[in-house]
Amino acid sequence: MALEKGFRIGTYDVFPLEGRIVGPTGARRVEPKAMQVLLELARHAGELRSRRQLEEVVWPRGFVSEDALTRCIRQLRRALCDDPRTPIHIETIATRGYRVRSAVHPHAPTSRVPAPGESLIVLPFRPVSAEAGADALVADGVTELLGLRLCGLHGVRILSRTTASRFKDGSATLSEIAERTGVEWVVEGTVIQAGDRLQVIARLVDARTDAHVWAGDYTGTLRDLIGVQNEIAERIAAAIHARLTGDREAGRSPPALDATALREYLRGRHLLSRRTVPALREAIVAFEVVTSAVPDYAPAWASCAECELLLMHYGVATPDELLALCEAHLERSLGLDPDLGIGLSLRGALRFFFALDFDAAERDLRRALALLPSYGLAMIQLASVYAVRRQFAEASAWIEQALLVDPLDVGVNMNLGDHMMLQRRWPDAARALQRTLELAPGHRPARLRLAWALACAGQADAAREALAGCGPEHGGDVAGLEYAALVEAASGRIETAAAHHDALARLARQQRVPGWSLARSAVAAGRHEQALLALAAAVKERSTSLPFLRVTPAFDALHGDPRFEAICAPLPR
């Protein structure tokens, strides 16, 4: 049965791709993992499904806490108004598992259900004309804009640009791409540019059959590009019989950009996607050119604010230097377009990191995802909101959703490792970080985290081997000393941890060392007074790590200390 398109159970209509259950008392939303549990039970209606069978289907990577399935069942019962003592829909078979008791009926084809397509990837468009440098930038821009536009395609999971960029060299076949990412649909194309004249050729391919479902050829000027990508997205939606609903961001007609401003916007988005400090600073300059030329262009203001937030998050700029400017740029963008999905997601992040207003952050992030259902950055941020509340099953579910749209992204996979560390699931954290290093063998932050996870898992020798493989950074190695202290402390070598902390403290007299890093190494060294002083400095610095203070394992030894609890006062318990 094609239950993914929607089905009826008793008096309830279930819309899996929308995460909604609609019944006599109205509509209820459930988390993605809970919906997957219901789908698996519905596929085997009347049959017993053991806990292990359900976990293998819903958590195929193996990252599942002991109570995750129980929480999903509890959430489903609330949505279905089902009493576990006298169940109508979902029955618990003691010590064995669960089964759906009610009859399950797929929705008729005419029902208002989401798209039949499950997932889509926009491969990097290829430049093919003589003006190679200009074409490469515009081709990247087409990929970027079209991918963001399609994020609003309800009922279809859109894989992110970072995953798509791994296939830029064109060496992988469509079947190989489908196998590695699990997509059903592929968008590919070419860009031909001569001066300001532009030709975009786009194709939609069914990855399951290698059949070309639709093709379009668009010719115009460079300033027509945003309109062109809107039209391509509409045609793609129609070709896979999907719906574009609630997509105000994609449907809104922004002010027109001339050729120069559009080139700068495309260049800025390309630099922003690289996520390096020099690229982010250069991107800000590009976006400032756009906002000076077209002050009403909301995406440029939001993109500039995103760069500024990342510079603060990376620790290369302080909130005293950039936060007010970042907030002003974001406010300008949302003042121009209150339904700008990327702006709402960014506001949610600012409320999370700096205002510590987690409820408001959640509202913004959920609204952003209503506009852009495949926006992975909002999913990752929402996972963090749940993690600091210790709602770890929900946090893991959102990280898994982010992995569905960005399975090959280094940052998302490392984020999964971080979340496993917050949950004290050391072996799972190590596996996630090893997966990260398979994607990017030289990724130093992931290797440092892996060393700590291995040490916490009791694998001291493997931890030191991983740490040794990091090598020193040029200049003062803040991260190396911090993680060396954490690894040695987790391995039971407090004196060695103290030596690394002392080296970091000496370094702090020569250069800026974040208070958060000093605090973590001080706790590892058993220097609790120094740790509390460093945490006070981190609060003054408005460190973006502070929301995680109560849940990060590095500070477990400080729990219960009144001074530590006072610092944690704004955070959920």
Side-chain angles (χ1 to χ4, degrees):
M1 294 185 293
L3 298 183
E4 291 82 358
K5 302 178 185 180
F7 60 92
R8 191 170 181 82
I9 174 172
T11 58
Y12 290 84
D13 286 298
V14 181
F15 300 89
L17 295 175
E18 294 180 353
R20 287 191 307 131
I21 298 176
V22 181
T25 59
R28 296 283 296 267
R29 287 197 173 273
V30 299
E31 300 295 345
K33 289 298 182 185
M35 183 59 78
Q36 290 181 41
V37 170
L38 181 57
L39 260 176
E40 179 62 15
L41 289 171
R43 290 190 187 104
H44 301 273
E47 300 176 16
L48 171 70
R49 303 300 286 170
S50 69
R51 292 185 66 91
R52 179 165 183 172
Q53 286 174 318
L54 290 167
E55 288 171 351
E56 286 177 350
V57 170
V58 179
W59 292 273
R61 293 170 177 264
F63 306 126
V64 54
S65 61
E66 291 184 4
D67 64 343
L69 179 57
T70 303
R71 289 190 182 192
C72 288
I73 295 293
R74 190 181 307 131
Q75 187 178 149
L76 292 171
R77 282 180 169 146
R78 284 198 301 267
L80 295 167
C81 297
D82 209 17
D83 186 338
R85 292 168 297 184
T86 56
I88 298 173
H89 304 300
I90 300 176
E91 181 183 13
T92 300
I93 310 298
T95 73
R96 298 178 63 195
Y98 303 92
R99 72 179 173 194
V100 161
R101 299 184 62 181
S102 304
V104 172
H105 303 286
H107 279 152
T110 55
S111 297
R112 294 185 71 245
V113 294
E118 294 181 358
S119 55
L120 178 149
I121 189 170
V122 181
L123 296 181
F125 275 54
R126 292 181 295 107
V128 295
S129 68
E131 299 179 28
D135 276 353
L137 178 60
V138 173
D140 280 342
V142 171
T143 309
E144 166 87 13
L145 293 174
L146 184 56
L148 183 59
R149 173 68 174 83
L150 287 168
C151 274
L153 191 62
H154 286 245
V156 181
R157 174 168 50 92
I158 311 300
L159 271 68
S160 81
R161 174 179 172 158
T162 48
T163 287
S165 66
R166 292 187 169 268
F167 305 106
K168 189 170 185 176
D169 62 7
S171 60
T173 65
L174 288 183
S175 60
E176 290 171 339
I177 293 171
E179 183 178 354
R180 290 183 63 185
T181 63
V183 297
E184 285 78 29
W185 306 96
V186 174
V187 176
E188 60 180 5
T190 55
V191 175
I192 303 170
Q193 184 184 352
D196 286 343
R197 298 295 298 172
L198 194 69
Q199 182 181 22
V200 178
I201 302 169
R203 292 171 291 276
L204 174 66
V205 184
D206 186 335
R208 295 158 292 193
T209 62
D210 204 20
H212 284 61
V213 176
W214 165 86
D217 186 338
Y218 302 87
T219 303
T221 64
L222 189 58
R223 67 180 299 168
D224 298 325
L225 181 57
I226 292 177
V228 165
Q229 57 89 21
N230 279 345
E231 186 173 352
I232 292 172
E234 295 286 356
R235 296 291 183 88
I236 289 169
I240 57 178
H241 312 295
R243 302 190 285 129
L244 283 170
T245 58
D247 185 15
R248 292 282 308 279
E249 170 150 352
R252 182 181 293 268
S253 297
L257 302 181
D258 63 22
T260 300
L262 182 57
R263 281 195 183 95
E264 287 302 299
Y265 180 69
L266 296 178
R267 188 168 74 89
R269 292 300 304 183
H270 172 72
L271 291 164
L272 173 55
S273 71
R274 290 165 59 182
R275 295 293 198 267
T276 66
V277 171
L280 291 171
R281 287 177 168 152
E282 192 177 347
I284 289 174
V285 174
F287 293 131
E288 287 174 342
V289 171
V290 181
T291 55
S292 295
V294 189
D296 293 341
Y297 194 67
W301 291 107
S303 298
C304 192
E306 187 177 356
C307 292
E308 290 155 351
L309 173 60
L310 286 170
L311 289 174
M312 290 185 285
H313 190 53
Y314 292 169
V316 297
T318 67
D320 286 343
E321 295 169 327
L322 276 187
L323 182 56
L325 187 61
C326 176
E327 290 175 332
H329 289 158
L330 175 61
E331 184 178 353
R332 182 68 179 270
S333 74
L334 290 175
L336 292 166
D337 186 353
D339 294 310
L340 188 68
I342 60 173
L344 290 166
S345 177
L346 181 60
R347 189 172 70 183
L350 287 174
R351 286 174 164 172
F352 176 83
F353 287 121
F354 298 112
L356 302 181
D357 189 342
F358 305 117
D359 292 340
E362 181 182 2
R363 287 194 297 272
D364 277 339
L365 292 162
R366 286 191 174 279
R367 190 173 164 204
L369 285 166
L371 293 162
L372 300 173
S374 293
Y375 198 47
L377 289 176
M379 296 174 189
I380 293 170
Q381 193 62 61
L382 197 53
S384 294
V385 171
Y386 280 113
V388 299
R389 293 170 173 162
R390 297 183 182 273
Q391 294 174 287
F392 292 129
E394 291 85 348
S396 296
W398 281 109
I399 285 291
E400 286 286 345
Q401 286 294 105
L403 281 167
L404 286 175
V405 300
D406 220 345
L408 304 183
D409 181 60
V410 172
V412 179
N413 280 274
M414 187 170 74
N415 224 286
L416 175 61
D418 287 339
H419 276 268
M420 294 299 101
M421 292 289 287
L422 295 180
Q423 297 179 40
R424 281 63 173 172
R425 293 165 57 182
W426 317 123
D428 289 341
R431 282 193 291 271
L433 293 164
Q434 285 162 345
R435 164 68 172 161
T436 305
L437 289 167
E438 289 171 8
L439 295 170
H443 196 262
R444 192 169 190 262
R447 190 168 293 279
L448 290 169
R449 285 166 165 80
L450 174 61
W452 189 25
L454 290 169
C456 291
Q459 301 180 49
D461 291 341
R464 293 193 191 97
E465 184 179 345
L467 196 62
C470 293
E473 279 188 332
H474 296 296
D477 190 1
V478 174
L481 291 169
E482 176 188 359
Y483 275 92
L486 291 169
V487 167
E488 294 299 337
S491 302
R493 297 171 43 140
I494 303 300
E495 289 186 4
T496 310
H500 291 304
H501 167 68
D502 290 341
L504 186 60
R506 288 193 297 272
L507 186 62
R509 294 193 284 270
Q510 304 168 22
Q511 67 180 63
R512 179 179 175 272
V513 173
W516 182 265
S517 297
L518 276 171
R520 294 212 303 176
S521 68
V523 174
R527 313 271 179 81
H528 292 185
E529 292 293 331
Q530 293 180 30
L532 290 164
L533 289 172
L535 280 178
V539 171
K540 188 175 181 181
E541 296 164 0
R542 302 186 74 178
S543 166
T544 56
S545 297
L546 283 174
F548 302 96
L549 178 57
R550 199 185 287 279
V551 293
T552 186
F555 297 114
D556 284 353
L558 296 181
H559 286 215
D561 187 307
R563 294 165 297 176
F564 177 76
E565 296 301 329
I567 295 173
C568 291
L571 305 175
R573 286 192 170 274

